[in-house]
Amino acid sequence: MTDTPQDLQSRLLQAFGAVSALLEQENALLKTGRWQDVETLLPRKRTVLETLRKLLPLEQTRPLTAEQRSAGVSTELEAAARQFNMLVRANEDLLQSAIAAQGTLIQLVLDDAAQEQRTGYGASGGYTVDSHAGALALRSDV
């Protein structure tokens, strides 16, 4: 059984709505730095995106029938697609910012650990800076 154009548009609207709602939730979490909560959304994100992906190729790989061409795309579906694209762009920007923030945090921790290894007490008991310390070991047994 094939979908009518209206059935397909209805299913696309539902899929765009599900993905957009999830992206809005993820974007809100990213804005507040709740990265672990974002991770818990991944299984659901994969599911809703897979549902949308399965619906989209039908329109892209087969020529439209005369009935589909006459039905056209509803303004509601066009608006949902625009909203989806806007949310995807925002999500991409927020994910890049989160990755950069985490990278900065890791670098600060590593820089602090390296600094601690270079400073300490020398053989005479005084405070000294070892300018030759080049390796960084996070465990004392390494």
Side-chain angles (χ1 to χ4, degrees), residues 56-111:
L56 289 175
L58 296 175
E59 293 290 324
Q60 296 170 351
T61 58
R62 284 191 274 152
L64 296 175
T65 65
E67 182 184 356
Q68 289 170 324
R69 280 193 301 272
S70 67
V73 175
S74 72
T75 56
E76 190 179 11
L77 185 56
E78 286 180 22
R82 276 194 303 275
Q83 173 73 5
F84 167 77
N85 288 328
M86 181 191 72
L87 288 167
V88 166
R89 283 191 299 275
N91 186 258
E92 191 174 79
D93 291 344
L94 289 166
L95 285 170
Q96 289 299 322
S97 294
I99 290 167
Q102 287 181 344
T104 300
L105 180 62
I106 289 169
Q107 191 60 47
L108 287 171
V109 169
L110 290 175
D111 288 348

Side-chain angles (χ1 to χ4, degrees), residues 2-134:
T2 59
D3 285 331
T4 67
Q6 290 79 18
D7 290 341
L8 180 58
Q9 285 192 35
S10 176
R11 290 175 52 209
L12 279 168
L13 273 172
Q14 289 175 338
F16 275 127
V19 173
S20 293
L22 187 121
L23 286 173
E24 286 173 346
Q25 183 181 3
E26 184 175 310
N27 289 350
L29 293 171
L30 286 167
K31 286 177 185 177
T32 59
R34 295 172 49 195
W35 300 311
Q36 289 180 333
D37 293 335
V38 170
E39 186 178 346
T40 63
L41 295 177
L42 284 177
R44 198 170 89 205
K45 186 177 183 181
R46 284 186 189 105
T47 302
V48 295
L49 285 172
E50 181 63 18
T51 300
L52 181 60
R53 187 197 64 75
K54 286 178 181 177
L55 292 172
L56 289 175
L58 296 175
E59 293 290 324
Q60 296 170 351
T61 58
R62 284 191 274 152
L64 296 175
T65 65
E67 182 184 356
Q68 289 170 324
R69 280 193 301 272
S70 67
V73 175
S74 72
T75 56
E76 190 179 11
L77 185 56
E78 286 180 22
R82 276 194 303 275
Q83 173 73 5
F84 167 77
N85 288 328
M86 181 191 72
L87 288 167
V88 166
R89 283 191 299 275
N91 186 258
E92 191 174 79
D93 291 344
L94 289 166
L95 285 170
Q96 289 299 322
S97 294
I99 290 167
Q102 287 181 344
T104 300
L105 180 62
I106 289 169
Q107 191 60 47
L108 287 171
V109 169
L110 290 175
D111 288 348
D112 188 49
Q115 179 64 29
E116 283 184 23
Q117 283 188 336
R118 288 192 299 263
T119 59
Y121 293 102
S124 64
Y127 190 69
T128 184
V129 175
D130 183 3
S131 61
H132 300 299

